[in-house]
């Protein structure tokens, strides 16, 4: 069969963009309950199996930065983190069945940032599929027959608009604008 989009490639891009700082992979945001590990927020994902180990490590080191660096080097935790993103994001957008790696990358990474249903809806609008936020066969066919560079350009515009609205609503977010 034909080469399809590859989760590992999209995930490597995500890691480079979002989690390049090993000392900040584990952190606690002000005004949030619980820890965040590589974008996985404890309060939203309390049943994720790795919180016990993460918390034990944080206690052992006594500070989150040192714990973060140590945990970042743990291959089992890294594999479980990748599995989490595959299940919660990639599989919901039928990533393994998308032909274009570039299109898959864009939906995946935007999905991690804004929620997968929102990212799917935006992609559906572009390709003229029913924009219900659920990625089914109809959406898959529409995406797989859509011009890649046209999609890329149109999806970039949606992302830019989204982040501009976010900054307008909360000017302190300007530091995150990239």
């Amino acid at each position: 069969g034909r080469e399809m989009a590859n989760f590992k490639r999209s995930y490597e891009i995500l890691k480079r963009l979002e989690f390049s700082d090993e000392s900040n992979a584990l952190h606690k945001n002000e005004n949030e309950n619980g820890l965040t590990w590589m974008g996985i927020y404890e309060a939203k994902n309390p049943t994720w199996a790795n919180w016990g180990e993460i918390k034990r490590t944080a206690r052992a080191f006594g500070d989150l930065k040192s714990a973060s660096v140590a945990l970042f080097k743990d291959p089992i935790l890294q594999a479980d983190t990748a599995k989490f993103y595959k299940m919660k994001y990639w599989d919901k957008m039928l990533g393994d069945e998308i032909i274009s790696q570039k299109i898959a990358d864009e939906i995946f990474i935007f999905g991690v940032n804004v929620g997968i249903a929102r990212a799917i809806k935006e992609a559906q609008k572009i390709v003229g599929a029913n924009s219900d936020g659920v990625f089914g066969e109809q959406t898959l066919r529409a995406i797989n027959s859509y011009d890649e560079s046209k999609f890329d350009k149109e999806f970039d515009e949606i992302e830019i608009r989204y982040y501009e609205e976010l900054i307008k609503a909360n000017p302190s977010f300007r530091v995150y604008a990239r």
Side-chain angles (χ1 to χ4, degrees):
R2 160 136 162 252
E3 196 54 37
M4 294 288 173
N6 179 306
F7 168 73
K8 283 199 172 77
R9 281 167 62 185
S10 287
Y11 186 65
E12 283 309 314
I13 295 170
L14 178 74
K15 275 174 72 175
R16 203 167 58 240
L17 289 174
E18 306 281 340
F19 315 123
S20 56
D21 179 1
E22 294 183 9
S23 71
N24 196 35
L26 179 65
H27 60 271
K28 187 172 185 335
N29 292 330
E30 284 174 55
N31 67 40
E32 281 190 354
N33 293 314
L35 299 168
T36 298
W37 166 256
M38 287 182 73
I40 303 171
Y41 177 33
E42 184 185 2
K44 276 209 182 114
N45 304 281
T47 61
W48 191 50
N50 295 281
W51 293 120
E53 187 213 341
I54 288 170
K55 286 180 170 167
R56 274 192 303 278
T57 305
R59 275 197 302 273
F61 278 93
D63 77 294
L64 291 183
K65 277 198 182 325
S66 314
S68 183
V69 171
L71 288 163
F72 201 84
K73 293 179 170 62
D74 177 343
I76 293 165
L77 180 58
Q78 283 291 356
D80 278 352
T81 303
K83 244 178 249 162
F84 173 91
Y85 279 104
K86 186 171 188 302
M87 193 182 76
K88 287 257 197 229
Y89 299 91
W90 186 261
D91 291 347
K92 290 191 171 139
M93 52 177 264
L94 305 183
D96 290 338
E97 297 176 57
I98 294 174
I99 293 164
S100 162
Q101 181 73 43
K102 190 166 199 39
I103 290 175
D105 292 344
E106 293 194 278
I107 299 171
F108 174 68
I109 288 158
F110 196 52
V112 170
N113 283 311
V114 306
I116 195 64
R118 168 89 192 253
I120 290 169
K121 268 182 201 158
E122 298 296 359
Q124 287 169 324
K125 278 180 212 157
I126 290 174
V127 299
N130 178 21
S131 67
D132 57 7
V134 178
F135 206 110
E137 289 304 315
Q138 183 211 1
T139 300
L140 183 67
R141 270 195 307 276
I143 278 179
N144 279 342
S145 58
Y146 204 82
D147 180 73
E148 183 185 63
S149 57
K150 197 167 177 290
F151 183 94
D152 181 36
K153 208 166 123 283
E154 291 169 19
F155 204 78
D156 281 349
E157 283 164 15
I158 285 167
E159 288 181 297
I160 290 163
R161 223 175 20 251
Y162 171 83
Y163 291 112
E164 278 172 355
E165 280 165 24
L166 210 62
I167 288 164
K168 225 180 284 164
N170 191 337
S172 68
F173 284 159
R174 191 168 300 284
V175 292
Y176 300 115
R178 359 170 223 294

